[in-house]
Every structure is written in structure tokens, then in C-alpha cells.
Amino acid sequence: MIWSALALAGTIVFLASPVLAQDGTGAIPENAVAQNYGGGWDCALGYKLDGAECLPIDIPENAYATGRAYGAGWACKRGYQETGTAACEAIQIPDNAHLRSSGFDWQCNRGFRSDRDDCVAIALPENAYLTGEISGPGWACIRGYTATSDACVPIAVPANGYLTNADFGAAWACERGFFEMDGRCDPVDLPANAFLDPESYGPGWRCERGYEQVRNACVAIDLPENAHLDRTGNRWRCDRSFQLSDGACVLGR
């Protein structure tokens, strides 16, 4: 009976005590909620900590409570911006513009460009198309044309040349078997026992394996005894253990 009475008294004392935070550091004040993990409590959404109390946040019109412990505790809704008077004013969107996805600024519609606080129509020249880029003129020339200050002029491609479609550098290049000379594409003078070389430097051709270039011709290599062609196929070297002496490969000492 004595133990039963003590247990009942303990239960009554527990129920009569104030609700404590999970870590037991103090009672949970009004407008606060216990933390989901660990101990302690946080102010409810729309309230901020002031000493040991949770006081309501003065949230202006067109704003919402952030739930963050730092800062003002509120932020403007999408399409509104904060002013110096702790208020949220609507973002003024000019004609032919739309609110950015971030909700904090506006952007001109396609076909228009920003001019201070307005969106003006892009003057699209002939043989051009809209790019949709915010910076620059907002347009680019179609293939085969190059941009001047406000127009697209045709690219002069010589015979046996082709457009490179490059944004930078040369607008055209010569076809295979031709090389650029003074704005034209001249044919490569291919000697016997040679093939076209795709490299941009040199005469535009290389000698076949077993031949070497002598001025503008490919001459057969006179391969001495105990020698072999190197990996280029256009020169030779002495075999292992042999060394060059007076144009011949002799056994080394």
C-alpha cells in the first residue's frame, strides 16, 4: 500500500509539472514547438525569439515567414521586391517583358532587347535570325553571310572553296587538293609518287614511302646495304650495330 501511494503521488507531481523541452533546459513557451531531434525548442513559423519568449513577426503585405532564425524573418513573395520601408512592392514589368524564373527581376521577350527600363523591338536585318541572347544585338547572320554593324553581307567564297561555319577565324577554306593564295584557291601541283597532305603547312603533299622530297619532286631513296627506312618512310637509317660512314652503313666497333 505504501509503495502504491508513493507511485500515485509521483504520477500526480509529474502531470502537474510544466512541459519541458527535450533536453530539459526549460519550459516550452507559448508559440513554440519542440525540436524533432535532440533537445530544446524553436519558435513557431511567424514568430521570433526574444529572450525566453516567441513574439509575433510583423510581416508586411505580399510577404511570407521564412522560418529562419536570422534576418527579418520574412521575405517578399515572387514578383515583389523589398523596399527601404520594410515593405514589398510589385516589380514593375514593362511591355513585351516577363518575370524571370527567379521571381526577382524581369527579362525582355524574344524579339525585344532591354533599353534601360523598357523593351524595344530588335531591328532584324535581311538574311538574319533572332538568337535569343540577352547581350549583343540579339541576332546573327544565316549561313553564307557575315555581320557588319547593322546588316548581313554575303561571304565571297572563291572557286574550289567552302564555308567553314566558324564563329571566329576564316569564313572559308579551300577544298582538298587546293591551297589558299591571295584570296583564291589554287590547285596543288602534285608530283609523281606523292599524295595530298591534309596539313595546312608545307607544299600540300608528301612523298610516298620509299621516296624523298627533292625540291618539287619525289625521288626514289637509294637504300644502302645494312640500312632501313625510318618510321616516316621518307628517310633511312643504319641497322642496329651499324653506323653511318661516307654514305654507307659499316659495322661499328
Side-chain angles (χ1 to χ4, degrees):
M1 292 293 293
I2 296 176
W3 290 109
S4 299
L6 291 174
L8 179 61
T11 302
I12 294 173
V13 171
F14 174 77
L15 294 175
S17 299
V19 179
L20 300 178
Q22 292 181 17
D23 60 0
T25 56
I28 299 178
E30 189 178 0
N31 303 314
V33 292
Q35 293 178 347
N36 293 329
Y37 55 89
W41 47 266
D42 295 314
C43 290
L45 186 66
Y47 294 83
K48 63 180 178 180
L49 183 65
D50 186 359
E53 297 181 297
C54 290
L55 301 181
I57 298 172
D58 186 13
I59 301 176
E61 189 177 0
N62 299 312
Y64 62 93
T66 62
R68 293 190 288 264
Y70 56 87
W74 58 268
C76 293
K77 294 179 180 179
R78 186 176 186 275
Y80 292 83
Q81 58 187 358
E82 185 178 351
T83 64
T85 58
C88 292
E89 292 184 354
I91 296 174
Q92 299 301 312
I93 302 176
D95 293 339
N96 304 307
H98 60 273
L99 190 66
R100 288 182 183 271
S101 59
S102 64
F104 300 125
D105 198 3
W106 55 267
Q107 179 179 336
C108 292
N109 296 337
R110 186 174 184 273
F112 295 83
R113 61 178 178 83
S114 176
D115 184 8
R116 297 184 180 180
D117 295 330
D118 296 314
C119 289
V120 296
I122 295 174
L124 191 66
E126 190 176 359
N127 300 309
Y129 61 92
L130 294 172
T131 61
E133 296 177 355
I134 299 174
S135 59
W139 56 267
C141 296
I142 62 175
R143 186 175 185 271
Y145 291 80
T146 186
T148 61
S149 58
D150 56 357
C152 291
V153 296
I155 298 172
V157 182
N160 302 308
Y162 63 92
L163 293 169
T164 61
N165 296 327
D167 293 329
F168 304 97
W172 58 269
C174 292
E175 298 282 1
R176 176 177 168 81
F178 295 83
F179 66 97
E180 192 274 331
M181 177 63 70
D182 298 331
R184 63 180 187 272
C185 290
D186 290 347
V188 174
D189 187 9
L190 191 66
N193 302 307
F195 61 91
L196 292 173
D197 185 0
E199 299 294 341
S200 59
Y201 54 86
W205 53 267
R206 281 182 55 192
C207 294
E208 297 281 1
R209 178 177 172 81
Y211 292 82
E212 62 180 340
Q213 181 179 348
V214 179
R215 291 186 291 276
N216 294 323
C218 290
V219 179
I221 295 174
D222 185 11
L223 193 65
E225 190 176 359
N226 302 313
H228 62 276
L229 295 173
D230 67 6
R231 62 180 181 178
T232 67
N234 303 124
R235 293 186 298 268
W236 60 269
R237 60 188 302 178
C238 294
D239 294 341
R240 185 178 299 175
S241 300
F242 290 82
Q243 61 186 15
L244 182 64
S245 177
D246 295 330
C249 292
V250 298
L251 192 62
R253 295 181 180 179

